[in-house]
Amino acid sequence: MELLLNAPLSKLPPLPKICATKRKPLGARLPSCLGVERHDDMDVHKDLPQSMDHAPKEKQNDIWQLFTEAQQNILSLNKQRLTALEELDELKRENTALLDRIEQLEAKMLLNTEKEMDTLSISSELLLRIDSMVLSGMIDNAEASDLRRLVMNSRMSIAANLFQNTHKKDSELLVELRHFSSKSKKKGFHIVHISAEMAPVVSVGSLASYVTGLSCALQRKGHVVEVILPKYACLNLDEVQGLREVEAEVYSFFNGQLHKNRIWTGVVFGIGVTFIQPVYYSAFFSHERVYGYGNDFERFTYFSRASLDYLVKSGKKPDIVHIHNWETSIVGPLFWDVFVNQGLEGTRILLTCQGFDSQCLQRPEKLALCGLDPSRLHRPDRLQDNNKTHMVNILKGGVVYSNKVIVIASMQTKAHLITELGHGMEPTLAIHKDKLLIAPYGFDKSVWDPSVDKFLPESYSEEDMKGKSVCKISLQKHLGLTKNASMILVGCMLTEVSDVYLENLKTLVWMASRKGIQFVFMLCSQNPGLRREVESLLLELKDGNVKFIDKYDEPLLHLILAGCDIILCPSLDDPVLQVPGIYNGEAFFCAGVNHAAEGHKIWSWTCCIKFY
């Protein structure tokens, strides 16, 4: 066809001559290929050339003129097509050059990131190796402190000089460290977290991402950060580099005796991590879950005491010991009553509370398990619970015995927090109000940014939202919902919900689901009562458009945030807002008591709604 269009006019086949005679009826002109046989067909075709010979010459000239104009149009179109192809080729070359430039920039950025991570990993590994030298008796505590300060103050240079020596034995590495004498003028804080969670090693709720994100941010500012965790049986060790067991015996006090612990060390995102594994009480952390057992107080009290024993045994003298929630709050009274005079005089205690709803009340005599004196602590100004005075309150002990207390809240003032959100600890918070600090929820953008989120089936950004539909369909498929990108999908992370809120939520879900709106709820709390209430709610609704996830699942949470059209929250100070309040261009708005949609007040829950 293209050859024909481009052929010169002189090579066109001769035109048939058109007959000017009167047309015959339709039946006489039906072609034989339609299966109509007529005896006079041969006569029609026989007469056609003779008829055309008599056609007026003027009509033939008109036809030739039409064909000439058509050929000119075709040639013009071909010329335009060639010009367009040349422009397209030029655009392709520019696009290729642009993509090459982007790849170069990304490679440079990746190289810088990897270099920074390598530096952090090497310095953290060196600090852990110094701990091993102390535990094995190779060096004393004084030399260990000097070597740690050397690593902390000369992180970049020491990483460049000793990165090839980290595989050597402790004795050989010690020689290299002693030869490395240059010291940096810059001084950072040495911070040790004693925590029950750390992402991605062990993640149950918002605490895990908080510890990891804060540790990474502090290390980028020049501080040295370490984390001590229990060695749970359910650990995710995929991101732990250089995991090794320290060949030394570390004992800790519990229930009137000294008990042996196995110590493991590794590096996570450049952060040195120490895992404590009880030997005699091995069952404490061999469960499938992290929380929710009848002996949780004993488990985490053992871990807290063992962490402090390890700090003393290894000769560490951190500037700050950072504890979290009630699970490690017992570190506060233990530190000031038992450990402060064991070389930790310069250390201070910082407590972070994700909320005051979980406090842990115990009988006073149980404090003796970790070496504390119940008679000294069962007092109103110390650990005695404000309401149940025959009990001790472990979280209260953390508040009383910490130098500073950080409370995570997005919108609340300190006054409102003390008077309204203390869950019975209002008198204690009022007494210690000067040490309270309010910190907003934060998140690591590199983890939750949908343009680089490794948990998503397809990434997207504010400029290119195409991957959003893929995430939504993937979420619907995972949950067993109807796969339809045009249906509204609402996500909700539940932490703590009052009876009034739950009743309003039930009304909202019932009305909205009847309009074809889909819901997915994820339980981000260890509260068994909340689990039962939500399960009862779903059983009452019996709606295929409503799905419930009964435990915290971080990869699925990424998909929920990326795939849902709306995120529903009880309030702006919900702990789950530790995940991004702004998810790459998606903003939260306070909806108040009622929000109109399509003329109906279907959003009756006081909430935050995330719109795109």
Side-chain angles (χ1 to χ4, degrees):
M1 180 66 182
E2 186 175 356
L3 293 174
L4 178 60
L5 293 176
N6 292 324
L9 185 60
S10 59
K11 294 184 180 181
L12 289 173
L15 291 174
K17 296 180 180 180
I18 300 176
C19 179
T21 58
K22 185 178 180 180
R23 288 185 169 183
K24 293 188 177 182
L26 179 61
R29 291 184 287 113
L30 286 176
S32 59
C33 61
L34 298 180
V36 179
E37 296 292 339
R38 296 184 55 89
H39 294 289
D40 55 352
D41 281 347
M42 293 299 294
D43 296 335
V44 171
H45 294 293
K46 182 177 180 181
D47 295 338
L48 185 57
Q50 295 179 0
S51 301
M52 291 187 65
D53 288 337
H54 299 287
K57 193 171 184 178
E58 292 80 4
K59 288 191 175 181
Q60 293 185 31
N61 292 335
D62 291 342
I63 293 174
W64 280 112
Q65 181 64 31
L66 289 175
F67 270 95
T68 301
E69 293 176 357
Q71 187 183 37
Q72 292 175 349
N73 290 336
I74 291 171
L75 292 175
S76 177
L77 289 174
N78 282 339
K79 185 177 180 180
Q80 295 176 17
R81 181 176 63 84
L82 292 174
T83 303
L85 288 174
E86 291 176 355
E87 293 176 352
L88 181 60
D89 289 339
E90 181 63 24
L91 289 174
K92 287 181 178 179
R93 286 192 292 270
E94 293 178 358
N95 186 53
T96 301
L98 181 60
L99 290 176
D100 290 341
R101 179 58 178 164
I102 292 174
E103 289 180 0
Q104 293 174 3
L105 293 175
E106 289 178 345
K108 184 177 180 181
M109 185 183 300
L110 180 61
L111 182 62
N112 292 336
T113 302
E114 290 176 348
K115 185 176 180 180
E116 180 182 356
M117 289 300 297
D118 288 342
T119 300
L120 294 175
S121 298
I122 292 170
S123 59
S124 296
E125 184 174 352
L126 288 173
L127 290 173
L128 295 172
R129 294 290 293 276
I130 293 171
D131 298 345
S132 177
M133 296 173 192
V134 177
L135 296 174
S136 61
M138 190 176 299
I139 58 176
D140 58 22
N141 289 340
E143 184 176 6
S145 297
D146 292 339
L147 291 176
R148 289 192 186 98
R149 187 61 60 188
L150 175 66
V151 173
M152 292 162 61
N153 292 343
S154 310
R155 181 177 298 164
M156 294 297 295
S157 57
I158 203 169
N161 285 272
L162 297 181
F163 75 97
Q164 292 181 340
N165 298 302
T166 54
H167 67 281
K168 292 183 177 181
K169 296 180 180 180
D170 285 350
S171 58
E172 297 173 337
L173 180 60
L174 179 59
V175 173
E176 299 293 339
L177 285 169
R178 284 170 172 168
H179 282 122
F180 189 86
S181 58
S182 62
K183 294 185 177 181
S184 170
K185 294 182 180 180
K186 182 179 179 181
K187 178 183 177 182
F189 286 110
H190 183 193
I191 304 164
V192 175
H193 290 270
I194 301 178
S195 176
E197 299 180 41
M198 177 189 182
V201 181
V202 52
S203 298
V204 177
S206 56
L207 173 61
S209 57
Y210 173 80
V211 171
T212 304
L214 179 61
S215 299
C216 291
L218 289 172
Q219 288 218 138
R220 287 193 292 268
K221 290 184 175 294
H223 306 291
V224 174
V225 185
E226 300 179 64
V227 179
I228 302 178
L229 297 169
K231 195 174 188 301
Y232 302 102
C234 57
L235 290 176
N236 173 18
L237 301 176
D238 293 343
E239 297 293 339
V240 181
Q241 300 176 351
L243 182 65
R244 60 189 289 268
E245 182 176 3
V246 177
E247 296 179 1
E249 294 183 350
V250 178
Y251 290 85
S252 60
F253 179 87
F254 191 77
N255 197 18
Q257 298 182 36
L258 291 176
H259 298 281
K260 183 179 178 180
N261 300 288
R262 299 173 66 185
I263 305 298
W264 300 75
T265 61
V267 178
V268 178
F269 301 148
I271 304 163
V273 181
T274 299
F275 301 95
I276 296 180
Q277 181 180 11
V279 175
Y280 182 77
Y281 289 99
S282 59
F284 275 175
F285 302 110
S286 62
H287 305 297
E288 295 180 356
R289 303 193 311 271
V290 174
Y291 310 111
Y293 298 97
N295 64 341
D296 275 0
F297 170 76
E298 289 80 1
R299 296 168 64 230
F300 291 106
T301 297
Y302 181 97
F303 165 66
S304 298
R305 172 71 196 235
S307 298
L308 290 172
D309 282 318
Y310 168 73
L311 289 179
V312 172
K313 174 69 175 176
S314 61
K316 291 178 183 289
K317 296 181 180 180
D319 299 295
I320 300 171
V321 171
H322 196 159
I323 58 180
H324 304 270
N325 299 336
W326 79 259
E327 284 81 8
T328 54
S329 285
I330 201 70
V331 167
L334 270 173
F335 177 84
W336 292 110
D337 283 10
V338 179
F339 287 92
V340 67
N341 294 321
Q342 299 186 38
L344 298 174
E345 293 83 358
T347 301
R348 294 297 178 260
I349 303 299
L350 172 64
L351 168 67
T352 292
C353 294
Q354 306 291 320
F356 296 107
D357 54 313
S358 183
Q359 301 177 11
C360 187
L361 305 185
Q362 295 292 327
R363 300 190 307 273
E365 57 268 23
K366 279 194 172 186
L367 295 175
L369 288 172
C370 60
L372 292 173
D373 184 356
S375 62
R376 280 175 42 84
L377 298 177
H378 189 212
R379 291 167 37 176
D381 61 336
R382 297 187 180 176
L383 270 71
Q384 185 180 45
D385 187 67
N386 298 327
N387 299 313
K388 299 179 180 180
T389 56
H390 64 289
M391 306 288 278
V392 290
N393 187 319
I394 305 305
L395 184 60
K396 178 183 175 181
V399 172
V400 172
Y401 279 86
S402 294
N403 297 94
K404 292 292 182 180
V405 178
I406 297 176
V407 183
I408 306 298
S410 294
M411 300 291 288
Q412 304 300 330
T413 64
K414 182 189 293 188
H416 180 71
L417 189 76
I418 292 173
T419 57
E420 302 294 335
L421 301 175
H423 291 270
M425 285 183 56
E426 289 82 2
T428 302
L429 298 176
I431 293 171
H432 296 276
K433 63 182 180 180
D434 291 338
K435 70 168 68 171
L436 293 181
L437 302 171
I438 308 299
Y441 291 99
F443 70 100
D444 188 346
K445 184 177 180 180
S446 64
V447 175
W448 294 96
D449 186 348
S451 65
V452 294
D453 195 334
K454 64 181 181 180
F455 290 111
L456 303 183
E458 185 171 328
S459 60
Y460 66 92
S461 65
E462 187 177 4
E463 292 76 22
D464 184 4
M465 297 287 289
K466 293 179 182 179
K468 166 74 176 177
S469 298
V470 177
C471 294
K472 184 174 183 178
I473 294 296
S474 178
L475 177 61
Q476 291 172 327
K477 181 179 178 181
H478 181 85
L479 298 174
L481 294 168
T482 301
K483 292 182 289 184
N484 188 340
S486 63
M487 297 182 71
I488 298 177
L489 180 56
V490 180
C492 181
M493 279 62 76
L494 297 171
T495 55
E496 183 182 10
V497 182
S498 68
D499 293 339
V500 175
Y501 280 159
L502 198 64
E503 189 63 29
N504 291 339
L505 178 62
K506 180 174 66 175
T507 303
L508 178 139
V509 175
W510 186 86
M511 295 178 67
S513 62
R514 295 305 185 272
K515 295 179 176 292
I517 298 176
Q518 299 174 334
F519 286 85
V520 53
F521 294 93
M522 176 179 285
L523 186 64
C524 301
S525 171
Q526 298 297 314
N527 187 342
L530 177 59
R531 182 189 302 271
R532 289 192 297 269
E533 290 173 352
V534 175
E535 289 176 345
S536 176
L537 167 65
L538 297 180
L539 185 63
E540 184 177 347
L541 290 172
K542 293 181 179 179
D543 194 323
N545 281 333
V546 183
K547 299 296 180 180
F548 176 56
I549 312 300
D550 64 355
K551 63 180 181 180
Y552 181 84
D553 185 333
E554 183 166 342
L556 182 56
L557 180 56
H558 282 250
L559 189 58
I560 290 174
L561 285 168
C564 286
D565 303 295
I566 298 172
I567 294 294
L568 191 64
C569 301
S571 66
L572 278 172
D573 50 66
D574 191 295
V576 175
L577 291 187
Q578 197 159 191
V579 300
I582 300 294
Y583 194 61
N584 206 61
E586 305 152 15
F588 282 93
F589 299 93
C590 183
V593 178
N594 293 299
H595 179 78
E598 296 182 353
H600 300 281
K601 294 182 178 181
I602 63 171
W603 298 107
S604 59
W605 201 29
T606 301
C607 61
C608 283
I609 300 180
K610 185 182 73 172
F611 291 95
Y612 285 86

